[in-house]
Amino acid sequence: MRIDIVSIFPSYFDGLTLSLLGKAQSSGILDLHVHDLRDWTFDRHRTVDDTPYGGGAGMVMKPEPWGLALDELSTSTPESRPTIIFPSPAGEVFSQATARDLATREHLLFGCGRYEGIDERVFDYAASLGEVRLISLGDYVLNGGEVAVMAMVEAIGRLIPGVVGNPESLVEESHEDGLLEYPSYTKPAVWREREVPPVLRSGDHGRVAAWRHEQQLERTRRRRPDLLAD
Ligand code: SAM
C-alpha cells in the first residue's frame, strides 16, 4: 500500500518510522511519504491560509496549494485512483470497520487541515481525482488533522497483511467482533496479592474460551452497552 500525507507540520509523523509501521516500511509492505504543503506555495512567506469570505474568526487554508498537491500526489499510483481522506470533526466517525475497509485500498492520500479548516472547494475538486472521505476521530475538536491521521494510519497499517507478525492477534481484539477484548494476564500467577483467574491456568482450552467470551460480554455490557445494542 502507498500512503501519502500532506501537512504543514510533517515532523508530526516522525513517529511512524518506529515499531511495526517502521518495519513495514523497511520491508517494503508500506510505502509511506510525508509532504509539506508549503512545498506547493510560491510566495516568499510560503502562505497556506487567508481570511474567510463572509468574515468570522480564524483563517482558512487556501485552495491553490492543496490543488497542486492533490494533482501531483494523486497520480503517484498510475494504475489506481487514490482514496483521499480529509480528517474533519464534521466527517463520518472512524471505526475498526472503516480501518478494515481502508486497509484494502492501494493508495491512501491524507490531507491534514489546520486553522478553521480547508476551503470547501478543495473537497469537490478532490472528488474528480479519487474517492473522497471526510473522517472524524470523534466528537471533539483537535488543533489540526495530524493526530487524527496518525491514529488512522496506525489502525489501518496494522491490518495490512504482514504488518503484525501473528495475524491471530488481530482476530481476537476489541471491536473485531463487535465486543471488547477479554482481560489478559502474564506471569507471575500471583502479584501483590492479586491472582490470575485459575481457569486460565487450568489447561482446559474449552473452559478458557468460554470464560473469555463471558468476560467479553460482561465488559462490553458494563463499559460499552451501546455496542451490544448495535
Ligand atoms: N472549524 C472546524 C469545525 O468546526 O469543523 C474545525 C477546524 S480544526 C481547529 C482544524 C483541523 O483539525 C480540521 O480541519 C481537521 O483537519 C482537524 N480536526 C479537528 N478535529 C478533528 C476530529 N475530531 N477528527 C479529525 N480531524 C479533526
Side-chain angles (χ1 to χ4, degrees):
M1 176 191 282
R2 175 168 173 129
I3 295 182
D4 287 286
I5 302 172
V6 183
S7 161
I8 58 169
F9 295 115
S11 50
Y12 255 96
F13 299 98
D14 290 353
L16 292 178
T17 58
L18 305 172
S19 186
L20 291 178
L21 293 190
K23 275 195 208 142
Q25 289 170 74
S26 318
S27 66
I29 297 174
L30 183 60
D31 184 21
L32 184 111
H33 302 262
V34 181
H35 312 270
D36 188 342
L37 179 68
R38 294 187 198 278
D39 290 345
W40 286 281
T41 60
F42 301 99
D43 63 310
R44 198 156 55 91
H45 300 292
R46 308 182 84 204
T47 311
V48 292
D49 61 319
D50 208 334
T51 52
Y53 273 117
M59 301 293 271
V60 175
M61 292 190 111
K62 291 163 68 62
E64 298 96 324
W66 279 111
L68 293 170
L70 293 171
D71 285 343
E72 188 172 327
L73 300 176
S74 63
T75 56
S76 53
T77 50
E79 63 289 349
S80 68
R81 278 158 63 87
T83 301
I84 305 172
I85 299 158
F86 294 102
S88 163
E92 56 174 300
V93 177
F94 189 69
S95 67
Q96 189 68 12
T98 324
R100 244 183 272 125
D101 168 23
L102 295 175
T104 64
R105 311 295 171 107
E106 268 179 47
H107 183 194
L108 302 179
L109 204 174
F110 290 93
C112 302
R114 278 267 152 184
Y115 316 115
E116 288 310 313
I118 302 173
D119 185 307
E120 192 72 19
R121 292 167 292 182
V122 172
F123 308 128
D124 185 50
Y125 177 70
S128 68
L129 304 171
E131 182 194 345
V132 173
R133 304 274 291 267
L134 267 64
I135 302 185
S136 170
L137 210 57
D139 293 339
Y140 41 82
V141 178
L142 304 165
N143 288 333
E146 287 76 10
V147 168
V149 171
M150 283 287 276
M152 288 189 244
V153 168
E154 183 142 323
I156 296 163
R158 65 201 304 280
L159 298 177
I160 301 171
V163 171
V164 170
N166 180 0
E168 281 277 298
S169 62
L170 296 176
V171 177
E172 296 193 343
E173 278 174 325
S174 297
H175 303 294
E176 273 304 329
D177 56 1
L179 297 174
L180 303 181
E181 200 189 36
Y182 51 78
S184 301
Y185 301 87
T186 185
K187 294 171 203 67
V190 180
W191 174 75
R192 298 194 179 186
E193 292 159 37
R194 288 157 174 85
E195 195 186 349
V196 171
V199 61
L200 296 179
R201 294 179 278 145
S202 68
D204 181 336
H205 298 305
R207 276 183 63 215
V208 169
W211 181 87
R212 284 179 167 166
H213 186 64
E214 207 175 282
Q215 291 291 315
Q216 283 191 281
L217 286 170
E218 207 282 312
R219 261 191 173 187
T220 311
R221 200 175 297 126
R222 194 160 26 93
R223 297 181 188 169
R224 293 289 307 276
D226 56 304
L227 295 178
L228 288 178
D230 285 349

